[in-house]
Amino acid sequence: MSAGLPWDGEVDVAIVGGGACGIMTALRAAERDDLVIAVFEKSTREGCNAAISSGSLGAGGTRFQRAVGIDDSPQRYADDILRASGDEEWRPVVEALCAVAPALVEWVADSGYPIELGTDMPRAGMSVPRLHTDVGRQGGGRLMRHLHGLLDQRPGVVFVDEAPVVGLVSEPDRSAAGCRVVGVEVAQNGAVQRIRATHVVLASDGFAAHSALTEEHLAHLGQPFYGGVATSTGDALAWATGLGAQLRNMGAGLRSGLVVVDRGTRVSPALPFNGAVLVNTAGERFVDEESKGYSGMAGVLQQQPGERAAMIWDDTAMAATRESEMMRETLASGGVRDLATPEELASALSLDVEATGRALTPMPGRRQLMAPYHLAWVTHGLLTTQGGLVIDPAGHVLDSHAAPIAGLYAGGGTACGLAGPTSDGYLSGNGLLSALGMGWIIGTSLGS
Ligand SMILES: Cc1cc2nc3c(=O)[nH]c(=O)nc-3n(C[C@H](O)[C@H](O)[C@H](O)COP(=O)(O)OP(=O)(O)OC[C@H]3O[C@@H](n4cnc5c(N)ncnc54)[C@H](O)[C@@H]3O)c2cc1C
């Protein structure tokens, strides 16, 4: 849409999407109190992925780690992410995000949010404990309520709910290669308004809820359970590519191999590190349970008979993992069976007791599970997409010549993520690091 028509309003910063990236962008930009900032949100009733996430914040080199003697750094974190993803070309963006992560986590803590280091949250590919979580483990809903509360106290920010952005407004830009984004079109109460903006930030997440886009880019995932929100329809991708922006790693997603069959809840990713085993419907162990992150494990489960397997653990593993929002939800949903004896476990697996005993044989150096047992049938799910717009380390959206499209930024799930070309490269914490981290970077540059 061209800029020649009249405007219905004007702001300095228009943010598309009021989830993790959008709210953090607004909070940081609002440090400059002369800026007028508008966050246009499609629907807080339908929600954002950040609010249903576990709210685990990855950061390397925080005071929380130092307090318990953990030697970590942004560089070590970036190297772990890149080892998992293999996506060296994306190193500048990864390093920029890891560089701001400690300040971001400490800022959230200093704003009154109760944060602790998840020393009991081991994850494949993470060389030291670096997931930070809320004390009480309530998850991302609590985090987003807290950030919304902070935003309410900023006088220069308006949060406009039930107001989906439906397009960008641009004009030719002689100083740059192509065009300049100068505003957004917002649908509200049955009418479309044109809001002029000096800076437009795309923070509307990925496309996992858009069936045609997932069919185009993620058909290899089969028919996974979808565990994300309905608002992730990739709206911003078409507007930005229409202006010459590039897409990258569109075949990657944040998957989960821990989705409980017929419940849609998840079991804790820490279970395998506490001795839990996976047994398929043929009674076979088929993977080293500690070897893969939950996103990579989804692909392994997809290959099993019936695309499912039994996750089996015992009281020791239960005690180490039950205080998390996902285990509480799974237990409340009735998705876990308690089995007092090897015979009961064998019956639940439709195996004889000898075959069940063989299936429980621990891998070298691991613990033997002891009765009573707990069992949940798990399958694979898609939580969010990880491919998206090509950006530079400052969040500018780039065109095919790697030149910034003037006035246009992107972060979180709208931008290319940190998993690399496939879902196997997703490391726990990548999603919120991309979203809050790029919101922090973009917002800080606009607000200073
Ligand atoms: C079940 C689950 C668990 C997860 N756990 C974790 C975790 O523990 N740690 C982690 O790092 N990551 C986790 N993630 C991933 C993480 O939640 C996402 O990567 C992150 O929320 C992306 O942030 P975002 O700001 O891009 O998108 P969101 O937080 O989803 O916010 C996007 C917002 O944009 C709005 N929107 C969409 N289109 C428009 C439009 N056209 N106009 C206006 N508004 C629009 C949406 O309504 C939404 O409010 C999890 C995801 C899921 C689904």
Side-chain angles (χ1 to χ4, degrees), residues 12-13 15 22-39 107 147 150-158 201 439-448:
D12 296 298
V13 183
I15 298 170
I23 289 196
M24 184 55 77
T25 305
L27 284 169
R28 296 301 296 167
E31 292 290 313
R32 234 183 83 179
D33 53 19
D34 60 328
L35 286 185
V36 177
I37 301 159
V39 182
W107 181 87
L147 296 179
L150 295 180
L151 203 62
D152 288 345
Q153 296 163 26
R154 306 291 172 126
V157 185
V158 284
V201 182
W440 178 278
I441 290 170
I442 297 168
T444 303
S445 81
L446 297 177
S448 54

Side-chain angles (χ1 to χ4, degrees), residues 40-103:
F40 297 106
E41 165 55 41
K42 191 190 262 184
S43 169
T44 50
R45 188 175 34 80
E46 288 190 48
C48 64
N49 276 322
I52 62 165
S53 78
S54 303
S56 318
L57 308 173
T62 66
R63 67 176 190 238
F64 299 97
Q65 292 175 304
R66 283 194 296 278
V68 292
I70 290 170
D71 181 23
D72 199 10
S73 67
Q75 192 60 56
R76 183 169 180 176
Y77 187 11
D79 289 343
D80 278 359
I81 289 174
L82 290 159
R83 195 174 308 111
S85 71
D87 193 4
E88 276 299 322
E89 200 185 314
W90 210 233
R91 181 176 279 277
V93 173
V94 175
E95 289 186 343
L97 291 167
C98 291
V100 299

